[in-house]
Amino acid sequence: MDRTDLIDVAFDVLGSGNGREAGNAAVRTVEAVAAPGEEPVAATAGRHPDHFRRGALVLTGHRLLFLKDGKPPLPVALGAATDVTVVRTRINGEVLKVVALTGAHRFEDVVKAEPFAERIRAVAAEARRREAGAAVPAAAPPPADLLDRLERLAALHGAGALTDEEFARTKQRLIG
């Protein structure tokens, strides 16, 4: 499946009458910011809290992109992702939360959120292994790196970007 097919699938999920045109705009946007060797892995539809209408969530081997109406994509680097969860709410449907060392991201009314979250977790683990330069599972981070990650995690928690539960779960994953 090539990039055009994947984005067209995502916009078809959106139910947009001009799915092909929106998909082509999204393809141009993705190709403009794509890293060398970056290929799409999965796509679904969802809504970012800052946007009223739905957009496409496109997962690549390097990051998660939120695309909407040809606007610049909202990227989430997967190598820095520490937690991916799905919660169900009455108002916002299935909510996908991606916590990364660069910040916390929330996507609402996500189509098939749990399977998509599983794909994100798998791709994020692979991205971390790749960034560590190892083809085998990465070893525990060095103490200095671990301290930096814990400090950033505490800052996110202190800023209110993470709940107590998310903070505790992510901290436990980092510590091992």
Side-chain angles (χ1 to χ4, degrees):
M1 180 176 287
D2 70 9
R3 190 180 314 268
T4 305
D5 293 336
L6 187 60
I7 302 237
D8 283 347
V9 167
F11 278 94
D12 287 344
V13 170
L14 292 172
S16 173
N18 60 350
R20 170 90 37 204
E21 294 161 16
N24 289 336
V27 168
R28 286 190 298 275
T29 302
V30 171
E31 287 175 344
V33 299
E38 184 175 29
E39 290 298 323
V41 175
T44 191
R47 186 172 54 83
H48 191 275
D50 294 341
H51 301 281
F52 179 70
R53 290 182 26 215
R54 293 172 99 187
L57 288 161
V58 177
L59 178 64
T60 73
H62 300 279
R63 57 193 167 166
L64 175 65
L65 299 167
F66 176 73
L67 306 169
K68 182 176 163 291
D69 299 334
K71 293 183 173 143
L74 171 69
V76 179
L78 294 178
T82 58
D83 192 29
V84 179
T85 57
V86 175
V87 295
R88 180 127 180 86
T89 67
R90 288 183 182 175
I91 296 173
N92 296 320
E94 290 188 352
V95 177
L96 173 67
K97 294 181 182 180
V98 180
V99 178
L101 295 175
T102 56
H105 304 275
R106 175 184 166 109
F107 303 97
E108 301 169 345
D109 199 20
V110 176
V111 176
K112 298 183 181 177
E114 193 55 50
F116 192 69
E118 285 299 321
R119 291 297 303 267
I120 293 172
R121 288 181 196 109
V123 172
E126 179 59 33
R128 285 191 295 276
R129 281 192 293 276
R130 192 173 49 246
E131 287 177 6
V136 295
D145 186 39
L146 178 61
L147 182 60
D148 289 341
R149 289 179 178 213
L150 289 171
E151 286 175 350
R152 284 187 236 154
L153 184 65
L156 287 170
H157 182 250
L162 298 174
T163 65
D164 291 340
E165 179 184 313
E166 291 169 332
F167 173 74
R169 186 174 49 242
T170 305
K171 180 177 147 188
Q172 187 61 36
R173 281 187 186 161
L174 285 174
I175 293 173

